[in-house]
Amino acid sequence: MFYWLMKYVVIGPIVKAVWRPWIVGRRNIPAEGAAILASNHLSVMDSIFLPLLIDRPMSFLAKSDYFTGKGLKGWSTRMFMKATGQIPIDRSGGKASEASLNTGLQVLGRGDLLGIYPEGTRSPDGKLYRGRTGLARMALEARVPVVPVVMVDTDTMLPIGHTLPRIVRVGVVIGEPLDFSRFAGMEGDRYILRSVTDEIIVALQRLGEQEYEDVYASTVKERVAAAARAAAS
Protein backbone atom coordinates (compact mmCIF):
# COMPACT_ATOMS: atom_id res chain seq x y z
CA MET A 1 0.00 0.00 0.00
CA PHE A 2 2.83 2.40 0.90
CA TYR A 3 4.63 1.62 -2.37
CA TRP A 4 1.43 2.17 -4.38
CA LEU A 5 0.70 5.44 -2.57
CA MET A 6 4.18 6.84 -3.22
CA LYS A 7 4.24 5.74 -6.87
CA TYR A 8 0.78 6.87 -7.95
CA VAL A 9 -0.18 9.65 -5.51
CA VAL A 10 2.79 11.30 -3.77
CA ILE A 11 6.11 10.98 -5.64
CA GLY A 12 5.21 9.61 -9.07
CA PRO A 13 2.95 12.38 -10.40
CA ILE A 14 5.38 15.11 -9.35
CA VAL A 15 8.42 13.43 -10.88
CA LYS A 16 6.60 12.73 -14.14
CA ALA A 17 5.31 16.30 -14.39
CA VAL A 18 8.71 17.90 -13.77
CA TRP A 19 11.08 15.60 -15.70
CA ARG A 20 8.71 14.09 -18.29
CA PRO A 21 10.58 10.75 -18.48
CA TRP A 22 10.17 8.52 -21.53
CA ILE A 23 10.39 4.76 -21.94
CA VAL A 24 10.95 2.40 -24.88
CA GLY A 25 10.35 -1.36 -24.78
CA ARG A 26 8.00 -1.53 -21.83
CA ARG A 27 6.38 -4.64 -23.34
CA ASN A 28 9.65 -6.56 -22.94
CA ILE A 29 9.01 -6.84 -19.22
CA PRO A 30 7.13 -10.11 -18.48
CA ALA A 31 3.51 -9.45 -17.55
CA GLU A 32 3.76 -11.96 -14.72
CA GLY A 33 6.29 -14.18 -12.99
CA ALA A 34 9.74 -13.47 -11.63
CA ALA A 35 12.45 -11.74 -13.65
CA ILE A 36 15.63 -9.76 -13.06
CA LEU A 37 15.90 -6.27 -14.51
CA ALA A 38 19.63 -5.72 -15.08
CA SER A 39 20.40 -2.04 -15.53
CA ASN A 40 23.38 0.16 -16.15
CA HIS A 41 23.93 2.58 -13.27
CA LEU A 42 24.58 6.26 -13.94
CA SER A 43 22.91 7.98 -10.98
CA VAL A 44 21.10 7.40 -7.69
CA MET A 45 18.03 8.54 -9.63
CA ASP A 46 18.04 5.29 -11.62
CA SER A 47 16.29 3.53 -8.76
CA ILE A 48 13.48 6.07 -8.94
CA PHE A 49 12.74 6.33 -12.63
CA LEU A 50 12.80 2.65 -13.52
CA PRO A 51 10.14 1.56 -10.96
CA LEU A 52 8.13 4.66 -11.80
CA LEU A 53 7.93 3.90 -15.52
CA ILE A 54 6.97 0.23 -15.46
CA ASP A 55 3.56 -1.19 -14.65
CA ARG A 56 4.58 -3.92 -12.21
CA PRO A 57 6.02 -3.27 -8.74
CA MET A 58 9.68 -4.12 -8.33
CA SER A 59 12.41 -4.18 -5.71
CA PHE A 60 16.03 -3.05 -5.83
CA LEU A 61 18.86 -4.33 -3.68
CA ALA A 62 20.36 -1.17 -2.13
CA LYS A 63 23.32 -0.70 0.19
CA SER A 64 22.29 -0.70 3.84
CA ASP A 65 23.91 2.71 4.49
CA TYR A 66 20.86 4.35 2.96
CA PHE A 67 18.69 2.91 5.73
CA THR A 68 20.84 3.73 8.78
CA GLY A 69 21.26 7.51 8.59
CA LYS A 70 20.35 9.65 11.59
CA GLY A 71 18.37 12.83 11.99
CA LEU A 72 15.85 14.27 9.55
CA LYS A 73 18.01 13.55 6.52
CA GLY A 74 18.49 9.92 7.57
CA TRP A 75 14.78 9.48 8.21
CA SER A 76 13.76 11.03 4.89
CA THR A 77 16.29 8.92 2.98
CA ARG A 78 15.09 5.77 4.70
CA MET A 79 11.44 6.54 3.95
CA PHE A 80 12.29 7.36 0.35
CA MET A 81 14.13 4.08 -0.12
CA LYS A 82 11.23 2.11 1.29
CA ALA A 83 8.79 4.08 -0.85
CA THR A 84 10.65 3.09 -4.01
CA GLY A 85 10.72 -0.61 -3.09
CA GLN A 86 14.41 -0.86 -2.18
CA ILE A 87 15.73 -3.58 0.12
CA PRO A 88 18.77 -2.97 2.36
CA ILE A 89 21.75 -5.28 1.89
CA ASP A 90 25.29 -5.39 3.24
CA ARG A 91 27.75 -5.12 0.33
CA SER A 92 30.93 -5.68 2.33
CA GLY A 93 31.54 -9.11 0.77
CA GLY A 94 31.96 -12.63 2.19
CA LYS A 95 28.96 -13.77 4.22
CA ALA A 96 27.26 -10.45 3.48
CA SER A 97 27.32 -11.25 -0.25
CA GLU A 98 25.70 -14.62 0.44
CA ALA A 99 22.99 -12.91 2.47
CA SER A 100 22.38 -10.47 -0.37
CA LEU A 101 22.03 -13.36 -2.79
CA ASN A 102 19.49 -15.04 -0.53
CA THR A 103 17.52 -11.80 -0.19
CA GLY A 104 17.31 -11.49 -3.96
CA LEU A 105 16.27 -15.12 -4.32
CA GLN A 106 13.45 -14.54 -1.83
CA VAL A 107 12.10 -11.71 -3.99
CA LEU A 108 12.28 -13.87 -7.11
CA GLY A 109 10.79 -16.81 -5.25
CA ARG A 110 7.65 -14.74 -4.69
CA GLY A 111 7.35 -14.26 -8.45
CA ASP A 112 8.33 -10.58 -8.29
CA LEU A 113 10.63 -8.34 -10.32
CA LEU A 114 14.10 -7.67 -8.94
CA GLY A 115 16.32 -4.80 -10.08
CA ILE A 116 20.09 -5.27 -10.05
CA TYR A 117 23.02 -3.18 -11.24
CA PRO A 118 25.52 -5.69 -12.75
CA GLU A 119 28.41 -3.22 -12.40
CA GLY A 120 27.92 -3.24 -8.62
CA THR A 121 28.17 0.53 -8.25
CA ARG A 122 27.53 3.74 -10.14
CA SER A 123 29.67 4.49 -13.15
CA PRO A 124 32.15 7.23 -12.20
CA ASP A 125 32.27 8.69 -15.72
CA GLY A 126 29.34 7.45 -17.80
CA LYS A 127 31.14 4.41 -19.18
CA LEU A 128 29.87 0.85 -18.87
CA TYR A 129 32.11 -1.39 -16.76
CA ARG A 130 32.68 -5.08 -16.10
CA GLY A 131 29.81 -6.95 -14.46
CA ARG A 132 29.83 -8.79 -11.14
CA THR A 133 28.87 -12.46 -11.32
CA GLY A 134 26.39 -12.40 -8.42
CA LEU A 135 23.67 -11.46 -10.90
CA ALA A 136 24.39 -14.53 -13.03
CA ARG A 137 24.34 -16.84 -10.04
CA MET A 138 21.01 -15.43 -8.93
CA ALA A 139 19.50 -15.80 -12.41
CA LEU A 140 20.62 -19.41 -12.75
CA GLU A 141 19.55 -20.44 -9.24
CA ALA A 142 16.13 -18.82 -9.58
CA ARG A 143 15.84 -19.92 -13.24
CA VAL A 144 14.42 -16.58 -14.33
CA PRO A 145 14.95 -14.41 -17.43
CA VAL A 146 17.17 -11.34 -17.30
CA VAL A 147 15.82 -8.18 -18.91
CA PRO A 148 18.52 -5.65 -19.95
CA VAL A 149 17.67 -2.05 -19.04
CA VAL A 150 19.50 1.13 -20.07
CA MET A 151 19.03 4.39 -18.18
CA VAL A 152 19.53 7.50 -20.33
CA ASP A 153 20.79 10.90 -19.13
CA THR A 154 20.19 10.32 -15.42
CA ASP A 155 23.85 11.24 -14.87
CA THR A 156 23.22 14.56 -16.62
CA MET A 157 20.21 15.13 -14.42
CA LEU A 158 22.13 14.45 -11.20
CA PRO A 159 25.92 14.23 -11.66
CA ILE A 160 28.04 12.61 -8.99
CA GLY A 161 28.78 15.10 -6.24
CA HIS A 162 25.65 17.18 -6.81
CA THR A 163 22.66 17.24 -4.48
CA LEU A 164 20.09 19.15 -6.53
CA PRO A 165 18.80 17.49 -9.72
CA ARG A 166 18.67 19.45 -12.96
CA ILE A 167 15.53 19.67 -15.06
CA VAL A 168 16.67 17.30 -17.81
CA ARG A 169 14.44 14.84 -19.60
CA VAL A 170 15.60 11.27 -18.87
CA GLY A 171 14.65 7.95 -20.38
CA VAL A 172 14.62 4.17 -20.05
CA VAL A 173 15.25 1.63 -22.81
CA ILE A 174 14.23 -1.96 -22.13
CA GLY A 175 15.60 -4.78 -24.24
CA GLU A 176 14.30 -8.26 -24.94
CA PRO A 177 14.61 -10.82 -22.11
CA LEU A 178 17.70 -13.02 -22.07
CA ASP A 179 17.12 -16.73 -21.50
CA PHE A 180 19.83 -18.67 -19.68
CA SER A 181 17.92 -21.91 -19.16
CA ARG A 182 20.63 -23.72 -21.13
CA PHE A 183 22.87 -23.28 -18.08
CA ALA A 184 20.36 -24.68 -15.56
CA GLY A 185 22.10 -26.39 -12.65
CA MET A 186 25.49 -24.87 -13.50
CA GLU A 187 25.43 -21.94 -11.08
CA GLY A 188 28.44 -23.41 -9.27
CA ASP A 189 30.69 -23.11 -12.33
CA ARG A 190 32.57 -19.81 -12.19
CA TYR A 191 33.33 -19.91 -15.92
CA ILE A 192 29.64 -20.20 -16.71
CA LEU A 193 28.86 -17.35 -14.32
CA ARG A 194 31.42 -15.14 -16.03
CA SER A 195 30.06 -16.06 -19.46
CA VAL A 196 26.47 -15.25 -18.45
CA THR A 197 27.55 -11.97 -16.84
CA ASP A 198 29.50 -10.93 -19.92
CA GLU A 199 26.52 -11.73 -22.15
CA ILE A 200 24.34 -9.43 -20.05
CA ILE A 201 26.90 -6.62 -20.22
CA VAL A 202 27.20 -7.03 -24.01
CA ALA A 203 23.40 -6.74 -24.27
CA LEU A 204 23.50 -3.52 -22.24
CA GLN A 205 26.31 -2.10 -24.34
CA ARG A 206 24.50 -2.81 -27.60
CA LEU A 207 21.25 -1.42 -26.25
CA GLY A 208 22.70 1.81 -24.89
CA GLU A 209 25.84 2.15 -27.01
CA GLN A 210 27.87 3.17 -23.97
CA GLU A 211 31.63 3.11 -24.17
CA TYR A 212 32.82 -0.07 -22.44
CA GLU A 213 35.91 -0.61 -20.32
CA ASP A 214 36.80 -4.12 -19.16
CA VAL A 215 37.55 -3.27 -15.54
CA TYR A 216 35.37 -3.01 -12.44
CA ALA A 217 33.85 0.40 -11.77
CA SER A 218 34.89 0.10 -8.13
CA THR A 219 38.52 -0.24 -9.25
CA VAL A 220 38.27 2.98 -11.25
CA LYS A 221 36.78 4.77 -8.26
CA GLU A 222 39.62 3.55 -6.06
CA ARG A 223 42.17 4.84 -8.58
CA VAL A 224 40.50 8.25 -8.70
CA ALA A 225 40.37 8.44 -4.91
CA ALA A 226 44.02 7.43 -4.61
CA ALA A 227 45.05 10.05 -7.16
CA ALA A 228 43.07 12.72 -5.27
CA ARG A 229 44.77 11.76 -1.99
CA ALA A 230 48.19 11.86 -3.62
CA ALA A 231 47.50 15.29 -5.10
CA ALA A 232 46.35 16.61 -1.74
CA SER A 233 49.42 15.36 0.16
Side-chain angles (χ1 to χ4, degrees), residues 43-204:
S43 166
V44 293
M45 304 303 289
D46 297 335
S47 300
I48 299 172
F49 283 101
L50 179 54
L52 181 63
L53 293 177
I54 66 175
D55 299 325
R56 293 180 59 187
M58 65 173 294
S59 300
F60 267 106
L61 299 183
K63 61 181 180 180
S64 57
D65 295 2
Y66 289 132
F67 296 81
T68 57
K70 297 181 179 180
L72 179 60
K73 181 179 180 181
W75 177 85
S76 59
T77 300
R78 184 164 55 253
M79 290 299 101
F80 185 79
M81 290 294 166
K82 291 181 178 180
T84 51
Q86 301 195 50
I87 302 173
I89 59 169
D90 184 346
R91 301 198 307 196
S92 58
K95 292 183 178 179
S97 297
E98 190 70 24
S100 300
L101 173 70
N102 292 334
T103 300
L105 289 174
Q106 288 175 11
V107 173
L108 296 171
R110 297 195 299 264
D112 295 337
L113 298 178
L114 178 67
I116 298 178
Y117 299 116
E119 296 164 277
T121 187
R122 279 181 293 168
S123 171
D125 51 16
K127 294 180 181 178
L128 183 67
Y129 288 95
R130 196 169 197 221
R132 301 282 182 174
T133 59
L135 162 62
R137 183 180 168 190
M138 202 176 296
L140 296 188
E141 285 201 22
R143 302 190 178 188
V144 298
V146 177
V147 182
V149 176
V150 171
M151 306 302 299
V152 181
D153 288 335
T154 51
D155 53 339
T156 302
M157 172 192 175
L158 187 63
I160 293 176
H162 290 66
T163 56
L164 295 177
R166 301 168 179 170
I167 307 301
V168 175
R169 198 173 186 199
V170 302
V172 179
V173 180
I174 301 174
E176 295 183 0
L178 303 175
D179 179 12
F180 297 107
S181 58
R182 64 190 184 278
F183 298 124
M186 304 176 71
E187 58 271 12
D189 188 322
R190 63 190 181 94
Y191 295 104
I192 293 296
L193 295 182
R194 172 47 57 191
S195 177
V196 169
T197 302
D198 290 346
E199 185 174 334
I200 294 169
I201 293 296
V202 167
L204 289 175

